[in-house]
Amino acid sequence: MKPVLVTGVSRGLGLAIARRLLADTEPYRVIGLSRSLSSEVEALAEAHPKQFEFVSCDVGEIGNLPGVVSALVARHGPFWGLVNNAGIGADGVLATMHRTDIERVLRVNLTAPIILSKYLSRGMLSNRAGRIVNISSIIASTGFHGLSAYAASKSGLEGFTRSLSRELGKRGITVNCVAPGYMETEMTGGMDVHKMESIRRRAPLGLPDPEDAAGAVAYLLGSEAGRITGTVLTVDGGSTA
């Protein structure tokens, strides 16, 4: 089975990605990283004991990542795929945002994917094969009030993706982004009703579900996407068309 590391697996899109990969026709072994073990992930591990492994890890603790990766590679061998999904958003006006909140957004959303890609790509280079998928956001290109630090982190992730795709492409490794828009989740369910109506009106196909974005990730990890690299696949129901 092909080992694939998925960060931020405890809920939302990360959980949807793990479920999608475990149901895929391609034989994946999914290793899910998250700070805490949710009941959904626990059920997933029980249902797929030979295909799924949970590892407790806060990707914001950058100094721990090399050791985590080393232990995983020792256990599973070189990885086929990496999905940098873990992310946080600090909603607030930049002028009043605490510096530590800004630094954590950049650390989790940008520095951690770079460090994980650095160490996991070594095995991919040796095998001359592999897939890296970074989860961006339409906010990287559209911007949004109160999300300047978040937008900066996602824009940086897209620039990183394009440059790394050129570094690794000659060894058969692809590096791409999936950029979801607003999705129908518990988080958006708690937003202001009028604001959500406005957001939904901008999406002619309707807002996507996490499963829609997970399908895009599975495609980029699969054999059919072997000639796609350095690109951003947008999944937003047409909001940015």
Side-chain angles (χ1 to χ4, degrees), residues 16 26 28 45 59 67 85 100 107-108 114 119 124 130 145 156 161 180-182 186-187 218 228 234-236 238:
E26 300 227 17
Y28 293 120
V59 299
N85 167 73
T100 56
R107 195 163 61 246
V108 172
I114 292 173
Y119 288 103
M124 297 178 187
H145 175 82
T161 296
Y182 278 96
E186 291 180 6
M187 182 176 70
I228 299 174
T234 302
V235 183
D236 67 353

Side-chain angles (χ1 to χ4, degrees), residues 36-173:
S36 58
L37 176 63
S38 65
S39 58
E40 292 87 353
V41 171
E42 192 170 11
L44 204 61
E46 291 175 0
H48 303 273
K50 295 182 179 180
Q51 272 188 282
F52 181 81
E53 176 186 342
F54 173 78
V55 177
S56 177
C57 175
D58 181 352
V59 299
E61 300 294 332
I62 302 297
N64 295 336
L65 296 183
V68 170
V69 172
S70 178
L72 289 175
V73 171
R75 205 153 57 241
H76 300 286
F79 273 65
W80 163 259
L82 166 63
V83 182
N84 284 307
N85 167 73
I88 57 173
D91 190 358
V93 177
L94 182 65
T96 58
M97 190 179 297
H98 200 283
R99 190 193 70 195
T100 56
D101 292 332
I102 296 170
E103 291 172 345
R104 179 157 177 80
V105 167
L106 295 174
R107 195 163 61 246
V108 172
N109 295 3
L110 182 56
T111 306
I114 292 173
I115 298 301
L116 288 171
S117 298
K118 167 186 167 70
Y119 288 103
L120 282 172
S121 66
R122 291 175 175 176
M124 297 178 187
L125 286 165
S126 297
N127 283 349
R128 302 184 71 91
R131 303 279 191 270
I132 297 174
V133 181
N134 297 315
I135 304 302
S136 182
S137 166
I138 61 170
I139 303 302
S141 57
T142 66
F144 201 84
H145 175 82
L147 290 176
S148 57
Y150 177 81
S153 69
K154 294 301 186 180
S155 295
L157 192 61
E158 292 187 6
F160 166 68
T161 296
R162 284 187 283 271
S163 291
L164 189 62
S165 71
R166 292 186 173 275
E167 287 185 27
L168 302 182
K170 292 181 181 179
R171 292 294 187 96
I173 303 162

